[in-house]
Amino acid sequence: MPKYIFVTGGVVSSLGKGIASASIGALLQARGYKVRIRKLDPYLNIDPGTMSPHQHGEVFVTDDGAETDLDLGHYERFLGVPPHKTDSISGGKIYFNVLTKERHGDYLGATVQSIPHITDEIKAFIASDITDEDFIICEIGGTVGDIEGLIFLEAIRQFANDVGRENALFIHLTLLPYIKTAGELKTKPSQHSVKTLLEAGIQADILMCRSSIPMTDSERKKLALFCNLVPEDVIVALDLDNIYKIPLSYHKEGLDVRVLHHFGMLEEAKEPDLSRWHEITKIMSEWEKEVTIGIVGKYCGLQDAYKSLNEALFHAGLANHSKVKLKWVDSETLEDKNPEEVAGILSGLDGILVPGGFGYRGVEGKIVAARYAREHKIPYLGICLDMQVAAIEVVRNVLGVKEANSTEFVKDCTPLIALMHEWEKDGSLQTRQEGADMGGTLRLGAYPCVLTKDTLAWSIYGQDRIAERHRHRYEMDIAYEHDLAAKGIVISGKSPDGILPEIIEVKDHPFFIGVQFHPEFKSQPFAAHPLFSAFVKASLG
Ligand code: GLN
């Protein structure tokens, strides 16, 4: 049986529980253990697929086509283990499953109740789809004290009893605010948070405290005293300037030792091999070069909206030993501008990346950016919607089809991009109707793509066939292939049946690529995604 680690958070949200969970996982993995991390989100959406990136940040997509919380992206980046559908669940999905079973008559006439039916469903999720993992880390979304989170706390309380307290560990992450006028860290909110958790029947085994400065011994002892812990189990989680420095910092604070001590595994444990974490820390402390990438998007106000993308660019920077500086450009500001004004906004960028999205707002501005990059030979990487945008740009401005557009935006346009009604996945036919439900009905997850020989994409990937993750509803019409090829614009990747364009590129350009998929989801700090790496390299000139 694996050991279970439950990570909860208190005092405030946005403490970085996801990165904390990923870092704990990374430290255990560095000692040779097999680790899996799961996210349980109490909110009532079935999944985050229909939530606005403004509210909830990016929707992360797994190979098997789940739309999940962005924390699963951190887990994959820190562990290099691709998460599955079975690693993410929401309160909404739990209730949906229980109510579906109720309609089905599965409860044999019983009164369906929060306890045991909802809690059993949560517990079944935690224990499902496990093979030979040594550790299962379960991060509980939200903050202790949230009403919708209560049932999840009850479920993990029961779960720990079911598997035996020696097989479960509760880690609670809180905040130590620094009060300038008093010149000290305040422990009271953490004490209260541990107490709130205790009201749900859970005694924190390890308390991790986010803090801007190191904790003093007396603060540690005070927290230990009031939180019913030994001082060694009160661990400071210092604010750092880069998330990839966190595993080393936790290790320095003794976190992995305390986790193993709790499970009685310290004696047998191997020393951790943290060399790859040291290596990337070294690269980022002595960047050799610098490059400025413009991100032309519409959720510029919220960095979390493009989480994986930011990370993928950082990884590409690591691969090129170069600091990647980002400049956010709101695509709407490019609309209705004359060429000099556009140049005023976009000049000075070494590369332009356009990250995909939904809806017409800002699209005409992105078309301006794509044209600028193509004509001025600035490296350009357009993702998903922005492969479609790049296609609209070239079909309008190079082939002269002025009405070319996507039916997502304009119903009676020349439909270069249109809704897909049927496609194949793993040998079975998928169908969609106009006006279908919004949730879970996109083309989702990993699909194969065949690369065209002697193209830029083919040389970057160094192979003929790849698999990348998708999240979109519309597709480019392949009918333009020959006319575009005559003008030096190539479809360099297609679905294996040759029907769906997956990559387009402009020849005679240092780097102009649009991809229908989201390469950013698969990029890792120790293995930058080849497209991002090549894009940053081209941007470095
Ligand atoms: N809106 C586009 C579509 O649904 C692209 C989506 C995206 O960029 N992820 O096809």
Side-chain angles (χ1 to χ4, degrees):
M1 183 172 56
K3 304 289 185 194
Y4 292 89
I5 300 175
F6 296 100
V7 181
T8 54
V11 180
V12 291
S13 59
S14 306
L15 281 180
K17 277 198 307 289
I19 291 172
S21 305
S23 300
I24 297 163
L27 290 180
L28 293 169
Q29 192 189 51
R31 289 179 181 265
Y33 295 112
K34 187 167 174 192
V35 183
R36 184 99 170 258
I37 316 184
R38 304 193 143 159
K39 177 87 194 264
L40 294 86
D41 271 309
Y43 57 70
L44 293 181
N45 300 64
I46 298 282
D47 61 43
T50 56
M51 286 154 93
S52 159
H54 275 301
Q55 275 207 14
H56 198 71
E58 153 191 293
V59 176
F60 185 78
V61 180
T62 60
D63 273 335
D64 59 3
E67 293 178 286
T68 73
D69 187 81
L70 56 78
D71 279 326
L72 271 84
H74 294 309
Y75 308 161
E76 179 163 356
R77 288 187 282 272
F78 275 61
L79 297 189
V81 178
H84 301 172
K85 253 187 188 146
T86 47
D87 293 323
S88 161
I89 202 148
S90 68
K93 185 83 200 314
I94 292 284
Y95 284 93
F96 182 84
N97 290 349
V98 168
L99 295 177
T100 305
K101 285 183 191 165
E102 186 274 333
R103 289 291 81 184
H104 208 238
D106 292 358
Y107 296 116
L108 306 174
T111 306
V112 178
Q113 295 181 297
S114 296
I115 305 170
H117 299 99
I118 299 293
T119 43
D120 280 355
E121 190 69 26
I122 297 171
K123 291 196 286 179
F125 165 79
I126 294 169
S128 68
D129 191 25
I130 291 171
T131 50
D132 56 346
E133 286 82 357
D134 301 298
F135 289 94
I136 304 289
I137 300 174
C138 293
E139 178 194 346
I140 312 296
T143 307
V144 162
D146 293 348
I147 289 179
E148 49 196 31
L150 281 172
I151 196 73
F152 283 83
L153 296 183
E154 170 59 16
I156 60 173
R157 181 194 70 76
Q158 291 180 16
F159 192 93
N161 280 343
D162 296 349
V163 294
R165 286 296 283 115
E166 67 284 9
N167 293 314
L169 166 74
F170 293 106
I171 297 184
H172 190 52
L173 179 66
T174 64
L175 175 73
L176 294 183
Y178 177 71
I179 305 293
K180 241 194 188 155
T181 44
E184 58 181 17
L185 293 170
K186 288 293 173 191
T187 63
K188 193 75 79 192
S190 296
Q191 296 176 36
H192 281 280
S193 186
V194 169
K195 211 172 265 177
T196 307
L197 193 58
L198 204 51
E199 277 167 23
I202 295 173
Q203 164 67 53
D205 297 308
I206 292 180
L207 179 65
M208 294 182 62
C209 303
R210 269 297 290 273
S211 173
S212 53
I213 56 168
M215 192 191 285
T216 62
D217 261 357
S218 75
E219 283 154 354
R220 190 187 304 273
K221 281 187 185 138
K222 188 170 171 187
L223 276 162
L225 178 70
F226 285 105
C227 298
N228 207 13
L229 293 167
V230 294
E232 292 76 18
D233 285 328
V234 178
I235 290 186
V236 68
L238 279 174
D239 295 351
L240 293 168
D241 59 3
N242 188 286
I243 56 170
Y244 299 112
K245 294 182 181 171
I246 292 176
L248 291 178
S249 167
Y250 284 2
H251 176 64
K252 202 165 147 241
E253 298 298 331
L255 177 64
D256 43 334
V257 167
R258 294 313 295 172
V259 169
L260 293 168
H261 170 83
H262 174 90
F263 290 119
M265 294 166 75
L266 198 51
E267 302 277 275
E268 68 183 54
K270 282 194 221 124
E271 278 303 304
D273 174 6
L274 295 165
S275 50
R276 58 184 198 162
W277 294 99
H278 285 293
E279 267 160 44
I280 59 170
T281 306
K282 186 162 181 287
I283 297 175
M284 63 180 105
S285 64
E286 47 197 50
W287 297 118
E288 290 164 15
K289 288 166 275 179
E290 197 172 281
V291 65
T292 303
I293 303 295
I295 301 191
V296 181
K298 71 175 178 183
Y299 305 114
C300 299
L302 182 70
Q303 300 259 331
D304 271 2
Y306 300 121
K307 194 82 216 165
S308 295
L309 190 98
N310 292 344
E311 296 304 321
L313 283 167
F314 184 77
H315 306 157
L318 286 173
N320 287 282
H321 289 243
S322 302
K323 182 173 179 141
V324 178
K325 288 173 73 178
L326 304 183
K327 190 174 160 207
W328 298 85
V329 180
D330 181 345
S331 61
E332 278 182 292
T333 62
L334 296 168
E335 288 169 10
D336 307 320
K337 293 281 192 303
N338 66 39
E340 288 80 53
E341 291 168 322
V342 170
I345 299 172
L346 299 179
S347 66
L349 299 177
D350 300 313
I352 293 178
L353 192 147
V354 211
F358 293 81
Y360 202 17
R361 188 166 67 80
V363 164
E364 291 298 332
K366 289 169 152 199
I367 292 174
V368 171
R371 180 174 194 168
Y372 180 87
R374 182 175 58 80
E375 292 181 345
H376 291 80
K377 303 227 185 290
I378 313 284
Y380 173 93
L381 179 58
I383 293 176
C384 204
L385 172 66
D386 292 289
M387 177 193 101
Q388 301 171 0
V389 161
I392 295 170
E393 191 278 310
V394 291
V395 169
R396 280 190 195 171
N397 298 325
V398 179
L399 298 187
V401 185
K402 293 290 170 207
E403 300 302 310
N405 211 330
S406 166
T407 57
E408 179 178 0
F409 316 134
V410 179
K411 291 286 168 245
D412 59 353
C413 60
T414 303
L416 166 64
I417 315 291
L419 189 69
M420 275 277 295
H421 292 283
E422 286 185 2
W423 67 90
E424 202 199 283
K425 172 144 194 162
D426 303 330
S428 74
L429 189 69
Q430 308 274 312
T431 57
R432 293 289 179 271
Q433 303 311 326
E434 199 88 45
D437 278 354
M438 295 300 276
T441 57
L442 291 89
R443 180 150 85 100
L444 288 168
Y447 280 84
C449 164
V450 177
L451 301 178
T452 312
K453 282 220 161 51
D454 302 323
T455 59
L456 181 58
W458 182 75
S459 69
I460 289 172
Y461 278 98
Q463 53 197 40
D464 297 332
R465 197 182 164 102
I466 56 167
E468 293 279 9
R469 297 181 198 167
H470 290 247
R471 180 171 185 255
H472 56 102
R473 209 168 253 121
Y474 294 82
E475 304 280 350
M476 177 185 170
D477 188 344
I478 191 99
Y480 291 84
E481 183 175 17
H482 295 293
D483 290 350
L484 285 172
K487 300 280 185 187
I489 297 151
V490 197
I491 295 180
S492 50
K494 291 179 196 167
S495 56
D497 59 9
I499 293 173
L500 303 174
E502 302 276 15
I503 309 177
I504 63 169
E505 62 186 58
V506 174
K507 280 188 170 171
D508 193 24
H509 190 288
F511 189 110
F512 189 106
I513 289 191
V515 291
Q516 186 58 80
F517 44 81
H518 288 273
E520 69 273 25
F521 292 142
K522 286 174 71 167
S523 184
Q524 292 169 20
F526 313 107
H529 191 287
L531 271 179
F532 278 89
S533 200
F535 169 65
V536 165
K537 192 168 176 201
S539 303
L540 280 159

